[in-house]
Amino acid sequence: MTVRSFDLVVLGLSLSSSWGNGHATTFRALLRGLAARGHRVLFLERDVPWYAENRDLPDPDFCTLGLYASLEDLEQRYLADIEAADAVIVGSYVPDGIEVLDLVLERARGIRAFYDIDTPVTLAKLEKDEAGYLARRQIPELDLYLSFSGGPVLERLAREFGARNPQAFYCAVDETRYAPLPAAPTWDLGYLGTYSPDRQPALERLLLEPARRLPHLRFVVAGPQYPDGIDWPANVERIEHLSPAEHAAFYARQRFTLNVTRADMIKAGHSPSVRLFEAAACCTPIISDRWEGLGDLLPEGRAILIADQTEQVVSALTEIDEPVRLQIAENARAIVLGAHTGIARAAELERHLPAAERATLRDTSSSRRSRRSAPLTALIAGGAGFLGSYLCERLIGEGRRVICLDSFRTGTPENLRTLERDPRFSLLEADVCEPLPSSIEVDRIYNLACPASPRHYQADPIHTLMTSVLGARNLLELARANGARLLQASTSEVYGDPDQHPQQESYWGNVNPIGIRACYDEGKRAAETLCFDYLRLHRVDVRVARIFNTYGPRMRPDDGRIVSNLIVQALSGRPLTVYGTGAQTRSFCYVTDLIDGLVRLMEVPENPQTPINIGNPEEYTINELARLVTSLTGSTSPIVYEPLPADDPQWRRPDITMARRVLGWAPRTSVREGLAATIAWFAGPAAASAVIRIQPPRRKLKPAAVAGLSA
Ligand code: UDP
């Protein structure tokens, strides 16, 4: 597979000087790896006196190093590079990091990433809002958040801080500098690290105390800043300073090396230090303190020894056979060379960048819009229908812009009467089966475009099937082009005549593929398939609602479904038609409850990755429903029984556990209340004026009106 080569700009604390910071070695390993894999990197570093005086890599051969004196200087000299790069990565602890990141977020055309080499520290600071190098508000704007810590912290970054794409991105070892050297071990156990009060108790427990108990063995601690007053046993040698060039030789001279972890890293877990990888690359077996995630990196007992107590170190040093010791070291080295070198990390970045690019594409419209703080625009296909018109009203009521797209085959302009004059509302008469105008700019797409009543969808079954399939395809393409979210109105009909009751989302259904209902059922099933393929392949953020029987005011008198039929019949004194024995069941949801479920599903931040049932589990036999309508209307109409249509499902009730859990949604309106409101509407003047037009003459699409929509 050929991998595309990237032009990257990295803004980091320091590359030129490793004095007093761990960032330089991290960047060096990664950038060497990137260069080896054919990528070009411009590393930009603030020219500060401390690093200027202590430059141990003033002229790297694996990237271009640029120094800048101030923010103005950065902008003047490097803005063009920042703008043009495929990706710009800003590291933690960059001086004036917030301003630098603002510049990058505002101007970079490529991926904007943050590389947090200090994740636990950053999060602690952000909680108090005092991280000088990153502001909370910037996190959701980033296309990629590379984090030195993995595990649960990534979820926290997403959930609490709104990071869109957090990825573990550990430190890496430069395997050319950290490799086994021939040397006879001088020390049985060593430790390399600057003094730190939070590590000292572990050093005491896992090295100094074993040294006291094993006076015949030899120990070493290398590193600066250990205060006076530490009780060093006589068999512990001290080395005050060890330059990076001497590290490999130092590891070669230890039989075991100790890894001790900072308290905040232990707390976060999943935060390997570079020391760990360096020791492993040098093929020195490691004894480490314990933290969450360590065993996932280096399996305990096979590639590392993990010690909680002094005794475990004592027994490791005295009881482990030489072949076992060597095998542990070999195993660790093999793992680290495979997964934790600069080259491995560069390869990881090659995977993250295109994924972030795709995510950026998806989110462009919404984030650009949010920066302009314009209201979200929703396209509602089928917006003039029964459900669609309620949805239009709901979203306009929330201050959104709404584009209603409808063919008026079953939807009616009367349904939109309250919206016509609203400046945020526009109407586009079009058939979703036809390609959609590319000028449409939207953030949210609701696909409600399909007749839902058996009478209507069976009137032109071929067009019904095409509406579901081509409509979904066209709208998914629009969502893809716009980076918009799409909600597909699916149906309980995907379960067919179910042999599971109540129906859970995991049930695959029992559908007759060639029956008279198939045009609707199979069309909706195919639309679901398309939705999940677009989610998998094109990462379109699709949500699928499986809608169960819904009723309410504004249903067409000629709708043909049970609730409107019974009410119209009862109110007009005609016999109530019940098909079959009337023992079949349905569960009825009031329209505003249903709409609330759809909006929640659309707006729930995390993609549920599964269809979700939206319906009211209140289940009635058709006979019971007919009796309820009779009593609520005070009708004296008789019930007449007519033949049951083919493939009519025998029972239907949603299991809404998923909707409750994921959306916090449940219906609020009882069937009795909802029917009363619906009956009142049908009895009033609005229903009388509801026009019955199954297939009005098609009006031509007005290109000018369409173009105006994106303004
Ligand atoms: N039904 C009925 N009388 C009618 C209309 C429908 O008995 O006038 C029955 C229909 O056979 C089905 C149930 O009521 O068993 C619900 O039908 P509807 O058309 O409302 O929707 P479906 O759930 O079948 O899609």
Side-chain angles (χ1 to χ4, degrees):
M1 191 179 77
T2 51
V3 174
R4 143 184 176 208
S5 114
F6 290 100
D7 274 310
L8 305 173
V9 171
V10 180
L11 289 125
L13 174 64
S14 178
L15 183 77
S16 67
S17 171
S18 64
W19 280 55
N21 77 85
H23 289 215
T25 43
T26 301
F27 284 125
R28 288 174 195 178
L30 174 64
L31 268 53
R32 278 200 180 93
L34 286 167
R37 292 184 65 89
H39 307 293
R40 288 169 300 278
V41 179
L42 167 64
F43 189 94
L44 299 176
E45 171 179 334
R46 178 83 163 255
D47 195 3
V48 294
W50 166 257
Y51 296 135
E53 286 153 24
N54 298 292
R55 284 210 169 103
D56 47 5
L57 188 69
D59 192 15
D61 58 5
F62 47 84
C63 72
T64 308
L65 173 64
L67 300 171
Y68 61 93
S70 62
L71 275 174
E72 296 70 50
D73 190 30
L74 172 71
E75 219 174 315
Q76 261 171 25
R77 291 162 59 192
Y78 297 110
L79 185 57
D81 298 288
I82 290 171
E83 284 179 335
D86 294 315
V88 181
I89 302 173
V90 181
S92 45
Y93 280 99
V94 165
D96 294 323
I98 293 178
E99 289 78 6
V100 170
L101 197 52
D102 273 339
L103 178 73
V104 169
L105 288 171
E106 194 54 39
R107 303 299 296 265
R109 291 194 292 270
I111 295 157
R112 292 95 32 99
F114 184 73
Y115 185 10
D116 199 342
I117 301 184
D118 308 271
T119 313
V121 181
T122 306
L123 295 191
K125 283 176 184 283
L126 282 173
E127 267 166 12
K128 298 186 210 123
D129 213 11
E130 61 183 25
Y133 51 86
L134 175 69
R136 219 182 155 114
R137 65 174 162 81
Q138 295 174 316
I139 299 178
E141 294 276 301
L142 294 160
D143 304 314
L144 179 62
Y145 194 117
L146 299 167
S147 163
F148 237 45
S149 301
V153 110
L154 300 177
E155 214 178 284
R156 231 190 114 199
L157 272 166
R159 206 182 50 240
E160 266 177 54
F161 296 93
R164 284 188 284 147
N165 187 11
Q167 300 286 348
F169 201 65
Y170 299 136
C171 53
V173 59
D174 178 351
E175 76 284 8
T176 61
R177 282 161 181 74
Y178 289 85
L181 293 175
T186 310
W187 303 289
D188 293 285
L189 180 65
Y191 174 71
L192 171 59
T194 307
Y195 170 78
S196 132
D198 66 339
R199 279 193 296 226
Q200 195 59 18
L203 187 69
E204 183 63 46
R205 194 171 67 246
L206 304 179
L207 191 144
L208 300 185
E209 190 50 30
R212 289 184 196 106
R213 295 203 198 165
L214 301 166
H216 56 291
L217 299 188
R218 299 184 61 191
F219 298 78
V220 63
V221 173
Q225 290 168 24
Y226 286 85
D228 294 342
I230 292 177
D231 176 21
W232 298 105
N235 55 340
V236 177
E237 204 174 312
R238 276 285 294 125
I239 299 175
E240 186 62 29
H241 178 72
L242 206 60
S243 73
E246 297 167 296
H247 286 182
F250 178 67
Y251 283 118
R253 293 172 65 200
Q254 302 168 55
R255 221 157 51 84
F256 288 92
T257 195
L258 181 67
N259 176 67
V260 182
T261 312
R262 300 191 71 112
D264 47 7
M265 299 294 178
I266 292 189
K267 192 159 160 256
H270 304 268
S271 307
S273 72
V274 72
R275 283 282 179 274
L276 189 71
F277 295 150
E278 287 170 354
C282 290
C283 216
T284 303
I286 303 163
I287 301 175
S288 175
D289 55 357
R290 186 180 297 281
W291 39 270
E292 201 65 46
L294 175 56
D296 301 338
L297 293 163
L298 298 172
E300 182 173 0
R302 282 204 297 117
I304 195 163
L305 300 171
I306 302 182
D308 305 290
Q309 304 301 335
T310 305
E311 294 68 34
Q312 291 160 299
V313 178
V314 169
S315 67
L317 297 182
T318 53
E319 290 166 23
I320 288 189
D321 295 343
E322 193 58 5
V324 174
R325 185 185 78 86
L326 293 174
Q327 193 57 57
I328 290 171
E330 287 293 348
N331 291 345
R333 179 170 152 82
I335 290 168
V336 166
L337 292 194
H340 303 293
T341 61
I343 294 210
R345 214 54 85 224
E348 241 174 74
L349 196 60
E350 283 164 10
R351 291 193 295 278
H352 290 322
L353 290 181
E357 214 161 44
R358 285 198 292 274
T360 312
L361 203 69
R362 285 203 320 267
D363 284 337
T364 327
S365 60
S366 50
S367 56
R368 296 232 169 107
R369 227 172 284 278
S370 73
R371 260 179 250 155
R372 291 202 317 256
S373 71
L376 288 171
T377 301
L379 175 88
I380 304 176
F386 166 50
L387 297 183
S389 61
Y390 276 90
L391 185 58
C392 290
E393 281 171 8
R394 159 90 188 240
L395 297 183
I396 287 284
E398 287 177 359
R400 307 207 171 191
R401 295 176 62 204
V402 168
I403 302 169
C404 166
L405 185 152
D406 211 294
S407 67
F408 293 110
R409 284 173 83 97
T410 52
T412 66
E414 287 74 20
N415 285 344
L416 304 172
R417 206 173 289 141
T418 58
L419 297 164
E420 276 163 358
R421 284 177 215 286
D422 196 301
R424 289 161 302 173
F425 180 79
S426 35
L427 179 62
L428 168 58
E429 186 175 344
D431 189 324
V432 279
C433 294
E434 308 297 333
L436 296 166
S438 58
S439 58
I440 299 178
E441 266 190 27
V442 286
D443 313 281
R444 301 281 188 265
I445 297 173
Y446 287 87
N447 182 15
L448 274 62
C450 187
S453 155
R455 175 192 287 178
H456 292 163
Y457 69 64
Q458 287 164 12
D460 187 351
I462 296 172
H463 190 266
T464 298
L465 184 77
M466 290 307 160
T467 299
S468 280
V469 176
L470 296 177
R473 199 271 311 268
N474 289 337
L475 292 168
L476 283 162
E477 280 298 328
L478 185 69
R480 190 179 167 201
N482 270 272
R485 245 180 229 177
L486 181 141
L487 183 141
Q488 167 69 19
S490 188
T491 168
S492 54
E493 285 289 307
V494 301
Y495 302 124
D497 189 5
D499 38 29
Q500 181 191 87
H501 193 77
Q503 293 80 50
Q504 292 173 328
E505 289 85 351
S506 54
Y507 175 55
W508 289 356
N510 176 35
V511 174
N512 173 3
I514 55 168
I516 55 168
R517 296 178 83 104
C519 61
Y520 186 71
D521 301 6
E522 295 290 15
K524 290 286 188 181
R525 287 170 67 95
E528 285 198 10
T529 307
L530 278 172
C531 285
F532 281 87
D533 282 330
Y534 270 77
L535 174 71
R536 279 185 290 263
L537 294 179
H538 301 308
R539 302 167 68 96
V540 174
D541 188 353
V542 292
R543 283 105 198 273
V544 173
R546 289 188 178 150
I547 299 174
F548 284 64
N549 294 58
T550 307
Y551 69 98
R554 216 182 279 163
M555 285 183 97
R556 292 168 54 135
D558 68 337
D559 179 277
R561 278 176 289 183
I562 186 66
V563 174
S564 47
N565 270 12
L566 292 178
I567 293 176
V568 169
Q569 290 159 349
L571 291 178
S572 61
R574 282 184 276 138
L576 274 55
T577 53
V578 168
Y579 305 154
T581 62
Q584 69 272 30
T585 71
R586 294 293 186 271
S587 303
F588 297 96
C589 187
Y590 190 64
V591 59
T592 50
D593 284 342
L594 189 280
I595 296 299
D596 186 50
L598 296 187
V599 174
R600 281 174 191 246
L601 175 54
M602 179 64 108
E603 297 306 328
V604 68
E606 199 165 322
N607 187 304
Q609 313 253 3
T610 166
I612 296 191
N613 290 339
I614 311 274
N616 187 339
E618 224 185 308
E619 184 180 2
Y620 285 79
T621 67
I622 299 306
N623 282 326
E624 286 167 344
L625 188 75
R627 283 196 291 272
L628 186 55
V629 170
T630 311
S631 92
L632 288 173
T633 51
S635 160
T636 51
S637 297
I639 293 177
V640 294
Y641 289 88
E642 294 185 359
L644 188 71
D647 298 332
D648 198 292
Q650 278 310 292
W651 53 5
R652 190 187 282 157
R653 171 152 63 101
D655 181 322
I656 59 163
T657 314
M658 183 97 75
R660 284 183 197 278
R661 186 166 49 78
V662 178
L663 312 177
W665 177 88
R668 294 196 190 154
T669 316
S670 70
V671 169
R672 190 172 268 277
E673 287 167 324
L675 278 181
T678 312
I679 290 167
W681 183 83
F682 271 101
S689 66
V691 182
I692 301 175
R693 294 186 309 161
I694 303 261
Q695 291 200 15
R698 299 281 305 283
R699 270 180 268 163
K700 273 231 151 40
L701 210 139
K702 291 187 222 82
V706 175
L709 290 168
S710 61

